Amino acid sequence: MFRGQRLGGNSFEPSISGSYGNWTVGVWANDPISNSDKVPGQSDPEIDPSGSYTFTLSDSVTLQPGFTWYTYCRAPTNEGYYRMTFEPNIALNYTVDGVTLTPKFYYDVVLDTATYEFDAAYTIPLKSISSEFDLTGTVGAYDGTNVANTDGVANAPKTTAKGNYWLLGVSMPFTLNSATKLLVGWSYTEGGSATLQTGNSPSQVNTEAVGRGFATVGLAITF
């Protein structure tokens, strides 16, 4: 699920990230477990490098510009899909009484899509079991003007996309040793008011925008 849209089913999602000073870089990937878990043109696999730099403005405020380079290795370009897009973003992180509030703006330069998002995060310590509840919430909206690939098609009308989404989630890390944690979580997300429109034709409902609950199980190794 991505911004209220279903881009795949049950999946394996490896990632690696590293930090040096204020810099953070990483690569995240999604590979559907079976053919029935694939959504055409989306992940088979999807591999996304990303990076960011954090400016500390005060004890409670940071500014974080960054980027994500989305790549869809086998997306059929002749069916209107892109093999890659590039999305710069900027976030303002404000922490007060243990709650982190993050307004964020994204702009995909290939899809010509602006996304506005607001995140909230809060951690409840569970010292008796050496864990914690990590609570997250997200609301967002997007407005795109070039979401279908028409490269090589003369005078092809552009396809626009609009919609909104929200997400609520909880996760718990369990320490296995000094370098290894088991992560389990559950989230629910839903897309709404999602439409697609090609040229002057009537707008249509974006059928990929749905509501789904999903569980995650992960192993995190730090070195």
Side-chain angles (χ1 to χ4, degrees):
M1 295 293 296
F2 178 68
R3 296 175 184 168
Q5 299 182 58
R6 182 179 181 271
L7 303 188
N10 300 321
S11 300
F12 176 58
E13 294 187 342
S15 66
I16 185 170
S17 64
S19 298
Y20 181 79
N22 292 349
W23 291 97
T24 300
V25 295
V27 178
W28 173 93
N30 177 287
D31 192 18
I33 293 174
S34 67
N35 286 333
S36 63
D37 292 312
K38 298 177 182 178
V39 170
Q42 300 298 337
S43 55
D44 189 19
E46 176 184 348
I47 302 172
D48 300 341
S50 63
S52 65
Y53 186 89
T54 300
F55 296 93
T56 300
L57 305 182
S58 72
D59 291 340
S60 59
V61 180
T62 61
L63 184 68
Q64 190 174 34
F67 73 89
T68 302
W69 179 18
Y70 302 96
T71 66
Y72 309 93
C73 301
R74 299 187 180 93
T77 56
N78 62 332
E79 296 179 16
Y81 296 101
Y82 290 98
R83 288 281 174 89
M84 62 181 65
T85 72
F86 185 77
E87 185 180 66
N89 61 74
I90 188 166
L92 184 71
N93 304 296
Y94 173 58
T95 301
V96 55
D97 295 330
V99 179
T100 300
L101 305 174
T102 306
K104 198 167 187 178
F105 174 72
Y106 308 80
Y107 192 83
D108 193 305
V109 298
V110 176
L111 303 179
D112 288 337
T113 297
T115 300
Y116 308 87
E117 191 173 277
F118 185 82
D119 301 329
Y122 183 68
T123 296
I124 302 174
L126 299 173
K127 295 181 179 179
S128 61
I129 59 173
S130 300
S131 185
E132 62 190 31
F133 272 124
D134 295 322
L135 307 174
T136 57
T138 297
V139 293
Y142 56 88
D143 188 347
T145 61
N146 188 34
V147 300
N149 186 357
T150 58
D151 291 348
V153 181
N155 300 318
K158 292 185 176 182
T159 298
T160 63
K162 295 182 179 181
N164 57 59
Y165 57 93
W166 61 271
L167 177 147
L168 292 174
V170 59
S171 64
M172 295 179 64
F174 295 93
T175 300
L176 303 182
N177 57 48
S178 60
T180 308
K181 290 183 178 182
L182 177 69
L183 310 172
V184 295
W186 188 87
S187 300
Y188 183 86
T189 186
E190 186 171 311
S193 302
T195 60
L196 296 168
Q197 184 176 17
T198 300
N200 295 321
S201 62
S203 62
Q204 299 179 338
V205 173
N206 183 351
T207 57
E208 291 180 351
V210 294
R212 287 287 190 278
F214 57 94
T216 57
V217 179
L219 189 67
I221 302 172
T222 303
F223 56 92

